[in-house]
Amino acid sequence: MASVYIPVQNSEEEVRVSLDQLPRDATDILDILKAEQAPLDLWLVIAREYFKQGKVEQFCQILEEGSSPEIDEYYADVKYERIAILNALGAYYSYIGKIETGAKEKDNYFAKATQYYNRASRIDMHESSTWVGKGQLLLAKGDVEQAYNTFKIVLDGDPDNVPALLGQASVQFNRARYSESLELYKRALRVYPDCPGAVRLGIGLCRYKLGHFERARQAFERVLQLDPENVEALVALGVMDLHANDATGIRRGMERMLVAFEIYPYNALSLNYLANHFFFTGQHFLVEQLTETALAVTNHGPTKAHSYYNLARSYHSKGDYEKAGRYYMASVKESSKPQEFVLPYYGLGQVQLKLGDYRSSLANFEKVLEVYPENCETLKSLGHIYALLHQTDKALEVLRKVTRIDPRDAQAFLDLGEILISSDTGAALEAYRTARILLRKVGEDVPIDLLNNIGVIHFERGEFELAEQTFKDALGSGVWLSLINGKENNYVVDAVTALLQYKDVNIFHRLEEEGGNVDLLPWSKVSTIFNLARLLEESHKILSAILLYRLILYKYPEYVDALLRLASIAKARSNIQLSIELVGEALKVNDKCPGALAILGCLELKNDEWVKAKETFRAASEAADGKDFYASVCLGNWNYFAALVSELKKQVKHIPVHLEKAKDIYSNVLKKCPANLYAANGLGMILAEKGQFDVSKEIFTQVQEAGSGTIFSQIPDVWINLAHVYFAQGNYTLAVKMYQNCLRKFYYNTESQLFLYLARTHYEAEQWQDSKRTLLRAIRLSPSNYTLRFNLGVVMQKFSASLLNKEKRSADEMRTTVSELEIAISVFGQLAVGFNQNIHGIDEKKIETHVSYCKHLLDVAKVYREAAELEEQQSRQRLELARQVTLAEEARRKAEEQQRLQMEKRKQEEELKRVKEMEERFERVKEQLKSSSQPSKRKERAQSEDEDGEHSEKKRRKGGKKKRKDKHEKSHYETEEVEADRGEFQEDMDEQHNDYEEPTNQLNTVYDDEEEDMAQDPRAAAGLEDSDVEDEMGAPTTASRRKQTWESDEDEPVYRPEDSSSLRENNAHQQETGTVRDDENVNNVEADDDID
Amino acid sequence: MKLAGLKSLESAHDDSIWAATWIPANDTRPFSLLLTGSLDESVRLWKADDDVVLERTNTGHSLGVVSVAAHPSGVIAASASLDSFVRVFDVDSNTTIATLEAPPSESWQMQFHPKGTMLAVAGGSSTSIKVWDTSTWQLVASLQIPRPESSKPNDKIATKKFVLSVAWSPDGRRLACGSMDGTISVFDVSRGKFLHHLEGHLMPVRSLIYSPSDPRVLFSGSDDAHIHMYDAEGKSLIGSMSGHSSWVLSIDASPDGGAIASGSSDKTVKLWDLNMRAAVQSMTNHSDMVWGVAFRPPGGAGVRSGRLASVSDDKSISLYDYS
């Protein structure tokens, strides 16, 4: 064992100090050293020995003693040793400063180190080792440039100073000037070939950094040859092996890491790599242990960043986003530059996205993009966030970029489709299709959501067959197929029974048994099944749809949407009771379900439970909590109807209140959701109600345009309202067109109420025959609606009156008039006979008035007819006469001609013969001719003149009479009757108007009396239409729902169970009941009768 | 089974055609005639085999012809219009044999007894079937749908039970009628007694027809877009066929009893295979609602193939080969 010998002062003796047996208490040694005034190099040797043994305290004690002022004084001339001691202390403090983690202590240590070096410098400015020490210190402090200058000073003096060379190499390495660094290491090695392995390690690292992996490997291996336990070399080799990225490499790398770990368990790098490995093997506990150790032992930013990253990743994969986020953040802080270590930014972005902190997430992903501008994953995440932040354009831009960079990224197309779906279904479909093709190409299973979404788009675009096929593709095989294909139809033969038996689950039990008790309906497929059922419903395969809904309910009894659909089907088949029951089921599951409440409200309206319905709508609206405005719009409608009812009940005061309220509600909904077509329609109605037709027309037109995209957002009501506005503005042609289009487009021409509107428009346009035919059609469609028959009578009466009123009346017209009147009387008569008023709600007295008025007209018409017929007969006779006259004249002309010819002939003959004797005879013949023709002519003329005279006299007489009567009739038609008449039909057509007391003041300001009726009318009608508003309110929600499905399966795309026509019918019913006539009009008619 | 379009005659009437039936061939006239009634208030007779040729136009109705019926003998026929009058006329001479009216009852669908002894007319708001003797043209029976016991006199029975459609069973013992509220009522004709209701529809039943091959089976078409198949004696629903997207306005059974044809406001004519209980064909000749479909009865000189005629609001008649 090595020993040092401390020479005893003033003697030749020496004290032997065994280096491995240094006393624990350094004071003993110090005493000896001081007492014997031992040379300072001995102090240093002993101190170094203490340090090697890890006895840092003693080391410090000795050196500090050795650098104390008294020693300085005593050994004033021993410069080098004093400097060495100071430098040793400086080196020590810079080292502990470097490994110290606390910033304050760190500064302290560095300050101390600086102090010692400065003292050393004061002893000898030029001592190179001091400079080297200072360089190291600067390097430890991270002041690379200063360190460079310091080492340079040394190297300028002594280019072969190995420590300075190494220091400078280190500086260059840190400045990332690897080739310079390599040169310096090489020089050091040349100067001092036996230098420790560390130098070669430096070479290896430089080579590694320069990309000379093989030579780097050689260098590291050489290090290991020299020092088999060199951890850095082991780790470096391990890292290289790991990066080789093949199985053997990774295994060998891990082995090296383990060896390194066993040799020195505190190498942060190896710890990180081990942790990384265990992360991939899923041993999260080990990951945490290792990284925590690594964090404890290192101070190196990037390494720590890596450790934090490992830790964060581990928590991330375990789903502990809070912790993961914290550690990612720590990691980011450590590295601070995304260029160096970008992964934690990505991780942080992901975690923040999960935690809903979109903006921060966005910022982090953008940092990742700064480093890797074309990283598809990051771009997709960005796209996703933009979508979540509703920055659709940006999202689209980003995702389009992804699809450009990698046209085979199915996920990108999926995301693209998802974003496009709300704006451009066509493009969305295209994107989805591409995604589907891409997935199929690589042989991956196409996710059911994707197919579902494709199906939904087809569905929305009305491409039912494609949609059905897609849904079926999405679902694969299962019990649903047999349900759709009708194999189970034997079990339930019709939709009604199927509906009624909705609680009967035998069929599913049986199916389950047949299928060996496999899961009938996995949760992942429920949405698609539901959509398929919706589709079947839309394609009128009601039974199959019902069975599918029931299948869903069998497995998932709390699936409210299926219950609501069943309720809706029941309602469509007017099974209100069952419908209410089903909604009740749904409310049992969730008593705050806005959809269920809204349907319930509609059902209650159908049952005429107004107050209840209002409460229900209010509850629904509250339950929806501003997310869905269906119920709010319903409430608006309710108020609107209430206004109409108030009109009916003549509660004038309530009308403006209700209208105002309805308007407020619609406006509010529009404020929150400007795209709500139903609310817009409602607002349009209120405005029309107030007579602001131009504005309301504008609104209706816009709603109509907006709704024309998909089958779910088309609102027939708005067409009708638009027609009403046209009507109110007197634009009958357009109104007719609009009504007809609406009928054709939405109702298969089956809606008799619309035919009634149409007839009224024709009536106003005085197109009596069109009006009549339209009414007849309506009667054919709706035979038990007696209002239609009544109106028919009115139209015919009016038509007849108009014919009678004409300046010139042909006999044909008069015959038509008579027959029309006869039919009108029988139509009225039928209404009057034997029915009690409750059947059709038309006042008998009113009918009687009409009948008597018609009878009166009939009498007039008969007279006219006779007159006209007589005239007709006369004119026919006259014609006949004229014809005869012409004929006679013709005959005469012919005869004359003949005679002339004969004469000429004879003349010729005469001339030819020139027989004298004949002259006499010729004379006689001439004489004869004259006498025979002239008298007959005269006779004829006289006769005809005679007749003419007679006729004209008669005519004159008659004409006079007629004129007189005409005047009388005319005046009385014009003065009273016409007005009365005009009023009548409208009144009947839009009973609402005349029956409800109209807010006359309000309207009179805008319209004169005649128009009043019309003005009111559209409002009434608008009211009807609006009822549907509530129906399809689902539309705006569809898109978002679908999106949800796509994201997670919690929510399904539900098309809001619509509930068309509930209120309309209700209203229609009101109309039916409200046909009481205005007294005024009755008076008018009666007055007419009196006059007559 | 298959339908093949033979001929579509546009503007066969001046306005919507609302009713169609076939007048069977007989000794004096060896071919069947197609009889159509229209909103234009006329009734027309057509020779329709491979082409549709107008034989004659009968006028005299007012307010549009809603129903036509042919006597099994092929000698007389009846037409009913919205003014509630039924005109019975000689097919070949067009002489009016009788004008029937039973106020305040309206006249809707009509059908002659299979033996021709009686004419049944759906009586609308009278909630009854009016049965007329075809020799005396006297009203012999008024089969009334009973009021539900609970109903108050003010109830809208007349509206709910409004009788729209009527059908004789092939043996002539039963009469069925369809109402606005979707119920079908079955009567025992000889005893003049109401038997029972058939339930399942909740919307107007506009067309009824008994199966020619099975006297118990009754088919119904309703505004709920469904065609139902009932055991009319056993009171049970035995089948329901959906496929139309709007009201089913008219149905007829093929003479062989294997198929049903239906006309709907969705503008299509569908052929239903009764074994499969599904639509096997959907014809789209018409551009507006199809008010009437009628299979040509078998018989007549040189007639081998089946014919189906359909009439529509688009004023046209379509003729199909049925095989």
Side-chain angles (χ1 to χ4, degrees), chain A residues 558-655:
Chain A
E558 309 215 322
Y559 200 96
V560 171
D561 292 316
L563 275 171
L564 295 185
R565 283 315 308 161
L566 286 179
S568 201
I569 294 173
K571 195 171 144 220
R573 308 203 47 153
S574 41
N575 195 335
I576 307 297
Q577 217 37 55
L578 180 61
S579 193
I580 288 179
E581 195 181 319
L582 283 159
V583 173
E585 290 283 316
L587 288 173
K588 258 187 232 161
V589 176
N590 173 8
D591 64 348
K592 291 253 184 311
C593 171
L597 285 170
I599 294 185
L600 186 61
C602 298
L603 288 166
E604 283 165 353
L605 272 188
K606 236 184 168 171
N607 272 354
D608 266 344
E609 297 165 311
W610 282 74
V611 183
K612 237 174 153 183
K614 183 181 181 184
E615 287 312 309
T616 313
F617 283 137
R618 188 164 289 156
S621 160
E622 274 160 22
D625 196 23
K627 285 180 195 109
D628 186 297
F629 302 102
Y630 183 85
S632 306
V633 174
C634 284
L635 212 51
N637 295 345
W638 190 93
N639 274 297
Y640 184 80
F641 299 141
L644 298 185
V645 170
S646 308
E647 244 180 281
L648 183 68
K649 292 183 180 163
K650 315 213 170 195
Q651 297 166 327
V652 189
K653 275 185 208 158
H654 297 306
I655 301 166

Side-chain angles (χ1 to χ4, degrees), chain A residues 419-680:
Chain A
I419 291 165
L420 282 168
I421 210 155
S422 51
S423 54
D424 180 353
T425 46
L429 186 61
E430 205 46 53
Y432 279 139
R433 275 213 196 111
T434 315
R436 187 181 176 185
I437 292 166
L438 288 172
L439 286 171
R440 210 189 282 150
K441 253 189 204 157
V442 294
E444 261 184 66
D445 281 342
V446 183
I448 188 169
D449 295 341
L450 169 59
L451 291 172
N452 183 44
N453 286 354
I454 293 179
V456 170
I457 297 178
H458 282 310
F459 189 2
E460 266 192 6
R461 288 162 37 127
E463 298 157 351
F464 290 170
E465 276 169 30
L466 278 170
E468 187 172 340
Q469 196 47 52
T470 317
F471 287 141
K472 281 182 179 164
D473 287 350
L475 290 167
S477 62
V479 287
W480 41 85
L481 285 183
S482 61
L483 290 177
I484 302 168
N485 295 340
K487 281 182 194 147
E488 299 302 329
N489 281 13
N490 297 333
Y491 172 75
V492 270
V493 285
D494 91 303
V496 175
T497 22
L499 261 177
L500 289 170
Q501 294 171 339
Y502 73 100
K503 279 178 179 162
D504 175 6
V505 292
N506 282 335
I507 177 176
F508 303 115
H509 280 314
R510 192 166 48 74
L511 282 172
E512 223 164 17
E513 275 159 29
E514 280 170 10
N517 281 325
V518 290
D519 193 359
L520 272 187
L521 177 59
W523 176 245
S524 63
K525 294 190 172 173
V526 171
S527 306
T528 315
I529 289 279
F530 183 84
N531 286 339
L532 181 57
R534 279 292 289 123
L535 178 67
L536 290 169
E537 219 185 306
E538 213 65 34
S539 333
H540 310 285
K541 294 172 190 160
I542 305 291
L543 181 54
S544 304
I546 292 173
L547 287 175
L548 287 186
Y549 290 133
R550 284 180 50 192
L551 172 66
I552 293 175
L553 288 172
Y554 170 65
K555 282 286 293 184
Y556 308 101
E558 309 215 322
Y559 200 96
V560 171
D561 292 316
L563 275 171
L564 295 185
R565 283 315 308 161
L566 286 179
S568 201
I569 294 173
K571 195 171 144 220
R573 308 203 47 153
S574 41
N575 195 335
I576 307 297
Q577 217 37 55
L578 180 61
S579 193
I580 288 179
E581 195 181 319
L582 283 159
V583 173
E585 290 283 316
L587 288 173
K588 258 187 232 161
V589 176
N590 173 8
D591 64 348
K592 291 253 184 311
C593 171
L597 285 170
I599 294 185
L600 186 61
C602 298
L603 288 166
E604 283 165 353
L605 272 188
K606 236 184 168 171
N607 272 354
D608 266 344
E609 297 165 311
W610 282 74
V611 183
K612 237 174 153 183
K614 183 181 181 184
E615 287 312 309
T616 313
F617 283 137
R618 188 164 289 156
S621 160
E622 274 160 22
D625 196 23
K627 285 180 195 109
D628 186 297
F629 302 102
Y630 183 85
S632 306
V633 174
C634 284
L635 212 51
N637 295 345
W638 190 93
N639 274 297
Y640 184 80
F641 299 141
L644 298 185
V645 170
S646 308
E647 244 180 281
L648 183 68
K649 292 183 180 163
K650 315 213 170 195
Q651 297 166 327
V652 189
K653 275 185 208 158
H654 297 306
I655 301 166
V657 178
H658 284 307
L659 281 182
E660 214 39 52
K661 192 139 194 210
K663 188 184 168 188
D664 286 349
I665 292 172
Y666 293 137
S667 313
N668 266 336
V669 171
L670 280 177
K671 241 178 249 159
K672 287 177 200 152
C673 172
N676 192 314
L677 300 181
Y678 300 93

